Amino acid sequence: MADGLVQPRTEGTPQGGPRSPLLSNILLTTLDRELERRGHTFCRYADDCNIYVGSQRAGVGLLQSLTEFLDQRLKLKVKVAKSAVARPWQRKFLGYSLTWHQQPKLGIAKPSLQKLAEKVKALLRRARGRSLATTIQTLNPVLRGWAAYFQLAETKRALEDCDGWIRHKLGCVLWRHWKRPYARARNLVQRGLPEERAWRSASNGRGPWWNAGASHMHAAFPKSWFDHRGLVSLLDTVQRLQRSS
């Protein structure tokens, strides 16, 4: 499409279709064979490839020689901006990264976590004015799909942090819905807080973000409360999928 009009395609294949990865695999099989001939440990998916060597010097030399190989043998140009020689935990591959431990674990790359946060923020902006139940229903398909993709992750911390941040954001939604101190105090009392503490918390004059992370909201609305409301937990989902695999 160009300016809203359909035009004949002159190069490339449609993004997301089956032909693009198929053709890339046919073409880049030559690269795979070359890396195997050299004895390198590597992992490639379509045009995304990580190659593991023993030193910075070896990595610099390999990047230069492969750039020349791809240019001369396959007539392909390496994108310099997306290519680098770095420690494994400083790079990402298909959304994953490796930890820095002596026995590295598979973790979730920071850009993947940032993209999830941006997606959740966008969904919550569109859900303003809706009930918490509706908001959770909007979030759940995204959280469930994201957890299914990252079910191979071996580190728990990032998943725990994401779960806590999402509950924090939903706590802001609740605090905004209540609007007035009376409604806030009443809802906190209904959730088991002593009346004096509820009124003190409801009239503290601080904003939704601060209150959503404060002890009175954690006490009134723990993780179990959100679980009961059907909110998908990333950590719980990943662990369940790992147990069943």
Side-chain angles (χ1 to χ4, degrees):
M1 300 288 289
D3 299 325
L5 300 176
V6 177
Q7 297 189 4
R9 184 182 304 280
T10 57
E11 61 180 9
T13 59
Q15 189 173 11
R19 281 180 292 175
S20 181
L22 174 61
L23 292 173
S24 69
N25 281 335
I26 292 173
L27 181 61
L28 292 174
T29 295
T30 303
L31 173 63
D32 296 342
R33 298 295 177 263
E34 177 65 17
L35 292 173
E36 290 170 354
R37 186 186 67 81
R38 298 186 188 189
H40 291 304
T41 299
F42 68 97
C43 187
R44 181 182 67 79
Y45 181 85
D47 63 343
D48 196 357
C49 185
N50 279 13
I51 308 167
Y52 302 97
V53 294
S55 67
Q56 176 82 11
R57 181 178 179 181
V60 171
L62 178 61
L63 178 60
Q64 181 178 354
S65 66
L66 285 183
T67 299
E68 295 173 355
F69 174 83
L70 290 168
D71 180 35
Q72 298 172 8
R73 181 78 175 272
L74 299 179
K75 310 304 180 185
L76 297 174
K77 299 293 183 182
V78 174
K79 289 187 177 180
V80 178
K82 293 186 176 181
S83 303
V85 177
R87 298 289 187 181
W89 56 86
Q90 296 173 331
R91 303 296 292 172
K92 64 183 181 68
F93 184 67
L94 303 179
Y96 285 90
S97 64
L98 294 173
T99 65
W100 52 267
H101 300 92
Q102 186 174 5
Q103 295 294 329
K105 295 182 179 181
L106 197 60
I108 303 171
K110 288 184 178 179
S112 301
L113 298 170
Q114 292 169 354
K115 287 181 180 179
L116 175 64
E118 292 168 1
K119 180 71 172 179
V120 170
K121 288 178 182 178
L123 290 173
L124 290 178
R125 280 195 297 269
R126 293 200 292 268
R128 284 178 182 173
R130 300 178 182 176
S131 68
L132 184 70
T134 302
T135 302
I136 289 175
Q137 289 178 358
T138 302
L139 287 175
N140 276 348
V142 174
L143 301 178
R144 193 176 292 112
W146 194 88
Y149 181 83
F150 287 104
Q151 63 179 285
L152 299 178
E154 298 174 291
T155 54
K156 294 172 52 179
R157 181 62 182 271
L159 296 168
E160 289 175 332
D161 290 346
C162 282
D163 279 338
W165 178 79
I166 291 168
R167 292 194 298 271
H168 196 150
K169 295 290 287 185
L170 292 176
C172 288
V173 172
L174 286 173
W175 197 260
R176 289 193 179 98
H177 278 177
W178 297 334
K179 294 183 180 179
R180 299 182 183 278
Y182 173 78
R184 291 166 178 168
R186 182 189 63 196
N187 280 282
L188 291 174
V189 169
Q190 288 177 351
R191 288 296 306 152
L193 263 65
E195 188 171 345
E196 180 183 354
R197 184 186 180 189
W199 274 103
R200 188 170 63 249
S201 301
S203 56
N204 59 33
R206 294 182 178 268
W209 181 256
W210 187 91
N211 277 285
S215 60
H216 52 270
M217 286 293 283
H218 283 299
F221 300 96
K223 177 182 180 298
S224 59
W225 186 88
F226 287 100
D227 290 341
H228 185 68
R229 296 300 181 283
L231 177 66
V232 168
S233 165
L234 298 175
L235 177 59
D236 292 349
T237 303
V238 166
Q239 291 181 332
R240 175 175 54 80
L241 292 171
Q242 289 176 346
R243 287 193 300 268
S244 62
S245 62

